[in-house]
């Protein structure tokens, strides 16, 4: 192995920079060159790569986002797109690629590996829905951002005896909503994995008031069918019958923009260096993640096209503790 390329892909996650830094420095320690690919798979297809040395990745461990940039690149799903990427890698003398990202990115990594390129993935998405890692880079920081906002909303909610809805990210997965609900002390949690109805949510919040609570807070995952817009419209339309207002806050991308916390910096450092170790051992076509608390690898074949199911015990816990 002489030269590797590293890219970040899909939605950015706090800690991606720490992973880029770890890949670069661990590779350099082995005497390998590192190229940073700009703009994810789109940049790979266009051959946009620059040399990364130890100093180029200085001062980034504490920064959110990704210094390399990222993108969603539908064109990489076509054989022509992938061939262009393979060509560019050959033209730049790249022996292997490290792909830092979530589900879509690991699907891309797997497809590139099937084209004959040695590839190792690093588990990074705030959604925490990636098989092959107990937890992914960015989740902990995104949760902290959600909690900071929830804590503030609870203060004003209690002062006004108003119900509040906070929508957190999670297109297909309710992990962030459930853990934000537990850690933020929400009265109700709504996630894509568990069907509910607007009236049922209204009843859960009304019940919280009946139990003597000064506020009623529901945390909702964006991908739930009862999301912020559905519930907001329902409460507006049935205000008299429900008996109280619902104020809606959509956190959206704010959650992705935080400075990575200690947990994500350490996780990203371990997984980034782990990716280099995996390549040095001759592993490829694998995802590097945290497996039962240790840095470990899982074949892409076993994880691509699937998502990690939510532990519904967590959802039950959120309900129990809402009492
Ligand atoms: O996959 C991470 C994620 O933040 C999801 O929670 C969210 O639905 C999606 O990305 C948003 O994607 P984009 O930033 O491309 O709008």
């Amino acid at each position: 192995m002489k030269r590797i390329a590293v890219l970040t892909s899909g939605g950015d996650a706090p800690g991606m920079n720490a992973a880029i830094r770890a890949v670069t420095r661990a590779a350099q320690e082995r005497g390998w060159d590192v190229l940073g690919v700009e703009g994810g798979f789109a940049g790979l297809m266009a051959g946009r790569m620059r040399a990364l040395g130890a100093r180029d990745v200085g001062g980034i461990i504490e920064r959110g986002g990704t210094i390399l940039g990222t993108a969603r690149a539908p064109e990489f799903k076509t054989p022509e797109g992938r061939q262009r990427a393979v060509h560019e890698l050959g033209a730049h003398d790249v022996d292997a690629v490290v792909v830092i990202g979530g589900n879509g990115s690991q699907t891309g990594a797997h497809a590139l590996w099937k084209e004959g390129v040695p590839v190792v993935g690093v588990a990074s998405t705030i959604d925490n829905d990636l098989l092959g890692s107990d937890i992914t880079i960015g989740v902990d920081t995104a949760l902290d951002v959600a909690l900071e906002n929830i804590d503030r909303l609870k203060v004003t909610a209690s002062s006004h005896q108003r119900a509040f809805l906070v929508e957190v990210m999670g297109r297909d997965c309710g992990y962030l909503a459930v853990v934000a609900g537990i850690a933020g002390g929400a009265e109700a949690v709504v996630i894509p994995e568990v069907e509910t109805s607007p009236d049922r949510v209204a009843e859960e919040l009304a019940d919280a008031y009946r139990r003597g609570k000064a506020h009623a807070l529901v945390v909702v995952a964006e991908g739930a069918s009862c999301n912020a817009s559905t519930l907001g419209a329902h409460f507006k339309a049935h205000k008299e019958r429900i008996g109280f207002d619902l104020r809606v806050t959509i956190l959206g991308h704010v959650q992705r923009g935080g400075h990575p916390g200690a947990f994500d910096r350490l996780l990203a450092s371990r997984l980034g260096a782990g990716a280099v170790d995996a390549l040095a051992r001759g592993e490829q076509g694998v995802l590097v993640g945290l497996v039962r608390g240790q840095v470990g690898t899982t074949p892409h074949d076993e994880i691509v096209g699937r998502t990690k199911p939510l532990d519904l015990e967590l959802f039950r816990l959120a309900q129990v503790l809402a009492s």
Side-chain angles (χ1 to χ4, degrees):
M1 190 80 56
K2 288 204 180 73
R3 174 179 283 180
I4 64 170
V6 58
L7 64 87
T8 48
S9 162
D12 64 314
M16 276 183 160
N17 281 328
I20 295 168
R21 172 180 179 271
V23 168
T24 304
R25 292 190 176 172
Q28 203 175 47
E29 161 88 9
R30 291 182 181 275
W32 306 348
D33 289 339
V34 180
L35 294 183
V37 181
E38 292 167 0
F41 288 109
L44 187 59
M45 290 183 286
R48 282 193 280 126
M49 305 181 206
R50 65 174 196 257
L52 287 182
R55 294 288 71 74
D56 299 312
V57 293
I60 65 168
I61 194 168
E62 67 273 35
R63 278 164 58 188
T66 157
I67 58 158
L68 292 176
T70 181
R72 311 233 183 237
E75 218 189 321
F76 192 70
K77 291 186 180 149
T78 66
E80 298 74 34
R82 289 196 294 276
Q83 271 316 308
R84 274 220 303 286
V86 172
H87 169 80
E88 289 298 336
L89 287 167
H92 287 82
D93 275 335
V94 173
D95 303 310
V97 181
V98 176
V99 174
I100 303 167
N103 267 313
S105 311
Q106 299 310 326
T107 302
H110 185 236
L112 189 60
W113 177 63
K114 289 217 149 166
E115 300 285 347
V117 177
V119 179
V120 164
V122 171
S124 176
T125 163
I126 66 159
D127 289 353
N128 203 26
D129 59 349
L130 194 53
L131 278 168
S133 200
D134 308 342
I135 189 156
T136 46
I137 296 167
V139 177
D140 189 70
T141 305
L143 174 60
D144 268 343
V145 173
L147 288 178
E148 191 188 326
N149 286 283
I150 286 171
D151 291 349
R152 289 177 188 201
L153 287 169
K154 276 171 76 172
V155 171
T156 172
S158 300
S159 310
H160 283 270
Q161 285 245 325
R162 270 177 188 155
F164 272 79
L165 178 153
V166 178
E167 185 182 277
V168 298
M169 276 190 153
R171 196 173 15 212
D172 308 302
C173 176
Y175 180 85
L176 261 187
V178 170
V179 292
I182 293 172
E187 279 61 50
V189 173
V190 178
I191 54 175
E193 292 87 344
V194 179
E195 260 317 306
T196 189
S197 68
D199 272 331
R200 188 149 171 205
V201 176
E203 188 46 37
E204 281 179 85
L205 297 181
D207 201 47
Y209 285 132
R210 285 196 288 271
R211 294 197 304 276
K213 294 211 174 190
H215 56 74
L217 173 82
V218 54
V219 179
V220 172
E222 65 169 322
S225 52
C226 277
N227 61 8
S229 70
T230 313
L231 285 171
H234 182 84
F235 272 73
K236 245 193 204 114
H238 303 279
K239 187 175 170 213
E240 298 311 318
R241 175 165 62 82
I242 293 170
F244 54 90
D245 278 338
L246 181 73
R247 297 296 162 103
V248 172
T249 301
I250 299 176
L251 292 184
H253 291 80
V254 162
Q255 288 155 101
R256 290 214 312 235
H259 296 292
F263 182 88
D264 280 323
R265 294 185 201 190
L266 288 170
L267 178 64
S269 298
R270 292 175 74 195
L271 299 190
V276 170
D277 291 344
L279 285 172
R281 286 193 302 269
E283 286 192 65
Q284 47 177 277
V286 296
L287 175 76
V288 178
L290 202 64
V291 183
R292 285 181 291 281
Q294 303 297 322
V295 177
T297 56
T298 309
H300 272 130
D301 271 332
E302 289 177 20
I303 59 160
V304 160
R306 302 166 60 203
T307 50
K308 181 166 68 181
L310 177 70
D311 176 1
L312 287 175
E313 276 306 308
L314 282 175
F315 182 71
R316 229 181 58 77
L317 181 63
Q319 288 182 312
V320 169
L321 299 184
S323 62

